[in-house]
Amino acid sequence: MARTPFIAGNWKMHKTVAEAEDYIQALLPRVYSADGVDVAICVPFTALQAMVDSTRGSRVEVFAQNMHELSNGAFTGEVSAAMLTEIDVHGVVLGHSERRQCYNETDKALSHKMVAAFSAGLKPILCVGETEDERERGDTERKLRHQVQEGLERLTPEQIAQVTVAYEPIWAIGTGKVATPDQAQDAIAFVRALIEDKAPDAAEHARVLYGGSVTPDGAPELLALPDVDGALVGGASLDPENFARIVDAAVQLAAS
Ligand code: 13P
């Protein structure tokens, strides 16, 4: 069973609309022929509409970086799934460790956000991963079990088959400290086993990405790992050439 590799760039809180437009004009010709690879940019709310318009007809999908689990209400500063699909956003990053740490995002809220995303027709990327302390204490699997089980708790097997989970060890995010191939493979194989526990037939379809200090030079080795279906790229995705080189690495592996 071949899963389509998926390379997603998470811009976090970077790029005005004008900067996003410059970026996408540089990226589109570079990924035009990236056959066999799914490509997405995950952009700030303010740049979503412009990026959806500028990528129409291209292979680049546009994702939001968060959304609320309810369809409307008195939640100042929040955005609903319907507000995203109305402007043709394709998907949404959910449970990024920065949102869990800085904004107290909980596994319970995420379990509802996953349902809300699927109900609206958005493709969710559920982020999971352990802190350095948790890894040193031997708690990596416990943390991942909790996050994956709760995140997928309310989904049907059919939805689980369409899920993307991004394993992002927190100690590797923005630190330049990449997980070793063994660490990445072991954790991602464990995530896949957790998915299999929940929905046996879905596990071979669900995609699991690696994220954390992915660079163009490091990407080929990580992407070649047996259970790694792609990458969620932060810092290196801010430069269109660097991001395109990571997409190139996935294209080459998909073709080999
Ligand atoms: P970096 O690639 O900058 O480490 O960020 C990873 C990340 O958090 C992507 O969501």
Side-chain angles (χ1 to χ4, degrees):
M1 146 63 245
R3 292 178 292 270
T4 305
F6 184 20
I7 305 295
N10 177 11
W11 292 1
K12 310 190 179 183
M13 195 175 74
H14 291 281
K15 299 195 190 296
T16 63
V17 174
E19 289 164 347
E21 290 287 12
D22 287 346
Y23 176 100
I24 204 66
Q25 296 318 322
L27 181 70
L28 288 179
R30 278 291 275 106
V31 299
Y32 178 75
S33 56
D35 292 330
V37 175
D38 290 343
V39 180
I41 49 173
C42 314
V43 312
F45 287 131
T46 45
L48 284 171
Q49 177 80 71
M51 291 303 94
V52 164
D53 291 343
S54 295
T55 54
R56 248 182 246 286
S58 82
R59 68 173 58 251
V60 177
E61 294 197 326
V62 177
F63 281 43
Q65 299 173 8
N66 178 39
M67 60 164 217
H68 199 274
E69 62 268 35
L70 296 180
S71 50
N72 52 53
F75 301 106
T76 302
E78 291 289 328
V79 164
S80 73
M83 293 170 189
L84 299 176
T85 52
E86 184 189 35
I87 60 166
D88 294 338
V89 168
H90 298 96
V92 60
V93 177
L94 294 176
H96 193 280
S97 60
E98 288 149 16
R99 294 213 57 84
R100 292 177 188 262
Q101 286 185 326
C102 306
Y103 305 102
N104 302 321
E105 183 117 68
T106 63
D107 287 313
K108 183 160 185 284
L110 286 164
S111 73
H112 290 286
K113 289 187 181 198
M114 291 293 285
V115 174
F118 274 114
S119 306
L122 289 167
K123 304 173 189 178
I125 300 177
L126 175 69
C127 301
V128 299
E130 80 286 0
T131 63
E132 189 150 40
D133 272 2
E134 287 164 338
R135 175 161 284 272
E136 280 169 7
R137 286 201 309 265
D139 274 347
T140 299
E141 293 195 347
R142 196 178 59 82
K143 176 78 171 288
L144 294 178
R145 183 178 299 111
H146 201 73
Q147 291 183 323
V148 172
Q149 285 178 346
E150 283 219 46
L152 304 184
E153 189 182 350
R154 293 167 203 279
L155 301 181
T156 64
E158 292 70 30
Q159 289 169 332
I160 293 175
Q162 296 167 52
V163 147
T164 300
V165 177
Y167 167 64
E168 300 204 305
I170 294 169
W171 47 270
I173 294 178
T175 57
K177 208 168 149 183
V178 194
T180 65
D182 279 352
Q183 287 171 329
Q185 169 58 27
D186 287 354
I188 287 179
F190 183 69
V191 168
R192 194 175 304 287
L194 292 169
I195 298 172
E196 196 167 4
D197 282 347
K198 182 94 183 88
D201 297 336
E204 61 174 320
H205 299 284
R207 291 188 288 196
V208 189
L209 314 183
Y210 170 80
S213 295
V214 176
T215 60
D217 291 339
E221 187 177 28
L222 288 163
L223 295 175
L225 296 170
D227 273 287
V228 174
D229 299 318
L232 182 57
V233 186
S237 77
L238 293 174
D239 175 71
E241 180 55 28
N242 282 340
F243 187 54
R245 284 177 58 204
I246 295 170
V247 174
D248 289 344
V251 172
Q252 276 164 25
L253 277 163
S256 65

